Amino acid sequence: MDIHRCSFLDYTPESITCCAFTHESNLEQVTPNNFRLAIGRADGSIEIWNPNNSKYRWVLENVIPGSKGTSIEGLVWSTHNDPSLPPRLFSIGGSTILTEWDLDTGVPLKNFDCNAGVIWSIAINKSHDKIALGCEDGSVVVVDVNGGPGVIEHETILQ
């Protein structure tokens, strides 16, 4: 005798706090192979979505689990505008730390303490080599990420 059992559970995903694409939209170019979407959630997890060269078949490629009491408040990708290099993912989340993620292992590659108060906003420049961090104390910390994976160097603090 075959028995089929089905159960339903009430699953409510954590709210999305931020999203970031690896590349800017350009209708005149073919989508790069390393094009991804990162989604930050209120439970501190990060999802990496791959469009899989399709308009409707997005694939959940990777989930970096969060830890208790954390949240992802901002995400940026650094591609150095070079499609041959893998993109680098950086996040902030209610602390003074900027984190670069190792997407293969799902662990932080580098944590950088900006020493200027809790970070509330993050932005990357057009050449993808500098990140600006807006801090709770009213300052903007600019860091250089031009040195490659795992390299985050303090450049300046704008008071």
Side-chain angles (χ1 to χ4, degrees):
M1 171 191 322
D2 291 334
I3 298 175
H4 176 73
R5 181 176 170 184
C6 182
S7 59
F8 297 92
L9 53 116
D10 187 19
Y11 173 70
T12 305
E14 289 290 330
S15 59
I16 294 173
T17 54
C18 56
C19 298
F21 285 102
T22 53
H23 299 78
E24 290 185 21
S25 178
N26 188 341
L27 297 175
E28 298 172 4
Q29 290 181 348
V30 176
T31 303
N33 287 336
N34 58 2
F35 180 76
R36 299 292 185 274
L37 168 65
I39 295 177
R41 294 201 177 259
D43 64 353
S45 64
I46 300 172
E47 299 173 0
I48 308 297
W49 289 84
N50 181 348
N52 203 20
N53 295 324
S54 173
K55 196 188 252 187
Y56 304 106
R57 292 185 336 174
W58 285 72
V59 176
L60 179 59
E61 192 172 76
N62 192 4
V63 176
I64 299 171
S67 58
K68 186 175 173 105
T70 63
S71 175
I72 300 296
E73 300 297 330
L75 293 164
V76 294
W77 291 93
S78 174
T79 61
H80 290 288
N81 297 319
D82 184 352
S84 66
L85 296 174
R88 299 165 61 191
L89 180 63
F90 298 88
S91 72
I92 59 168
S95 70
T96 62
I97 304 292
L98 170 68
T99 302
E100 179 178 359
W101 292 95
D102 183 338
L103 298 178
D104 293 329
T105 62
V107 297
L109 183 62
K110 174 80 173 185
N111 286 318
F112 176 82
D113 192 339
C114 74
N115 294 316
V118 175
I119 304 168
W120 285 104
S121 60
I122 184 170
I124 194 160
N125 67 346
K126 234 175 170 31
S127 60
H128 286 231
D129 61 351
K130 297 196 186 337
I131 295 176
L133 305 167
C135 300
E136 186 174 51
D137 65 356
S139 64
V140 175
V141 177
V142 179
V143 295
D144 188 335
V145 294
N146 200 27
V151 178
I152 303 172
E153 297 175 345
H154 174 82
E155 183 161 302
T156 190
I157 294 180
L158 309 171
Q159 295 290 333

